[in-house]
Amino acid sequence: MLKVILILVALLILALKIIRRVFFPTELNFVMKMLHSKITEVKSKNFNEAFSKIATDTHYSKLKILELGIGTGENFKYFPKGSKIIISDKTDEFLSYLNESIKNNNCQNLDISKLIVNKAESMIDIQTNSMDAVVHTFLLCSVDDYTQVLSEIYRVLKPGGVAIFFEHSLDNINLLRKIVQKIIEPLCGQCKFLNMKKVLKSGKFQELVIKEHIMSKFYMTIVNPIVYGYGVKACNL
């Protein structure tokens, strides 16, 4: 009897893994497209402002950009034409949607490298002081160690380079929303509601610009506030 139960449990675990592999990328693609579509204007302004702050010796049209937690590829349209893009994620589950996004952004003439499957806490394939910009959107909520991720981002940036971010945050102003966020957090898998301003301020950036955006759509209110901005690595290193 015990053997039968163990076999059934094993089959259930396998079935859940298959279901997640098949349906989770589709679900996340839908959610991410909806979420990003609500902040296009804010994203455009922030990317433009952040890219203008880059003080490396690289020409603007040839920037070397690392995007972490690339997911389904929602940011290509905001990158300067001709940029060299290194893409990294801890999984390749979203590769079909990512390839579709790459195809749809050919007009940007981006030089997009093959996906590096690696955790952001240990970017062993990325050289120190090699990137003009590092981009992460809705990433820090789901990593194992955000302190180590921020340290790695700082390491791979060139002096004068810029980290550009959009993250959702725990709401420390709206008490009701904060309570709801903490109640549903156990149901969100690896995604956590963190005090994102505090998280970002724990990095080493010489200049850190943090702004906040509140999405008005009622069905998106649970992820408010959106914390975004950029950090600049010191030039005189």
Side-chain angles (χ1 to χ4, degrees):
M1 184 65 179
L2 179 60
K3 186 175 182 180
V4 173
I5 293 174
L6 291 175
I7 291 173
L8 289 174
V9 170
L11 289 173
L12 177 60
I13 293 173
L14 178 60
L16 289 174
K17 286 184 177 181
I18 293 173
I19 290 172
R20 184 186 184 279
R21 181 78 180 186
V22 173
F23 293 105
F24 181 62
T26 302
E27 177 187 349
L28 188 68
N29 180 55
F30 173 78
V31 172
M32 285 294 101
K33 284 188 179 300
M34 181 170 61
L35 178 56
H36 283 272
S37 70
K38 304 304 178 187
I39 55 174
T40 53
E41 185 175 347
V42 175
K43 285 179 66 176
S44 180
K45 290 180 179 179
N46 188 57
F47 273 107
N48 287 338
E49 181 178 343
F51 282 131
S52 73
K53 295 290 184 177
I54 293 175
T56 63
D57 57 0
T58 307
H59 189 275
Y60 185 77
S61 64
K62 298 295 182 181
L63 294 178
K64 196 171 183 180
I65 302 170
L66 168 65
E67 181 162 9
L68 299 175
I70 185 73
T72 56
E74 299 297 323
N75 294 318
F76 293 134
K77 64 176 71 73
Y78 303 103
F79 296 163
K81 290 184 177 181
S83 297
K84 179 177 178 59
I85 314 299
I86 310 298
I87 55 180
S88 177
D89 206 316
K90 63 182 178 182
T91 177
D92 63 354
E93 290 180 339
F94 316 107
L95 194 55
S96 61
Y97 297 106
L98 177 59
N99 286 333
E100 181 182 349
S101 181
I102 292 173
K103 182 179 178 181
N104 291 337
N105 286 277
N106 278 343
C107 60
Q108 291 291 96
N109 294 320
L110 301 175
D111 178 6
I112 303 175
S113 296
K114 183 180 178 181
L115 172 66
I116 298 173
V117 180
N118 200 12
K119 284 191 174 184
E121 287 90 343
S122 180
M123 295 186 279
I124 57 176
D125 295 314
I126 309 297
Q127 292 182 343
T128 299
N129 299 331
S130 62
M131 296 292 155
D132 299 293
V134 176
V135 175
H136 58 95
T137 55
F138 307 110
L139 169 77
L140 295 180
C141 61
S142 60
V143 299
D144 296 327
D145 185 346
Y146 62 75
T147 301
Q148 184 60 28
V149 173
L150 291 172
S151 178
E152 279 289 271
I153 289 172
Y154 190 85
R155 177 186 67 81
V156 303
L157 276 173
K158 296 178 181 178
V162 172
I164 307 169
F165 54 83
F166 281 83
E167 302 284 351
H168 73 81
S169 179
L170 182 69
D171 195 331
N172 287 313
I173 303 298
N174 187 317
L175 181 58
L176 177 59
R177 182 182 290 128
K178 181 178 181 179
I179 292 172
V180 174
Q181 287 174 335
K182 298 310 290 185
I183 289 174
I184 70 169
E185 187 174 63
L187 305 175
C188 297
Q190 291 183 312
C191 184
K192 302 174 286 290
F193 288 95
L194 304 173
N195 183 341
M196 201 55 69
K197 289 183 180 179
K198 183 178 180 180
V199 168
L200 291 162
K201 288 177 181 178
S202 68
K204 304 175 183 178
F205 296 106
Q206 178 189 39
E207 177 186 356
L208 182 62
V209 175
I210 299 180
K211 302 177 184 180
E212 193 174 283
H213 176 72
I214 301 295
M215 291 188 290
S216 58
K217 296 294 184 181
F218 76 93
Y219 53 85
M220 301 297 291
T221 186
I222 196 63
V223 298
N224 282 328
I226 302 299
V227 173
Y228 69 98
Y230 54 90
V232 182
K233 184 173 180 177
C235 290
N236 54 339
L237 296 177

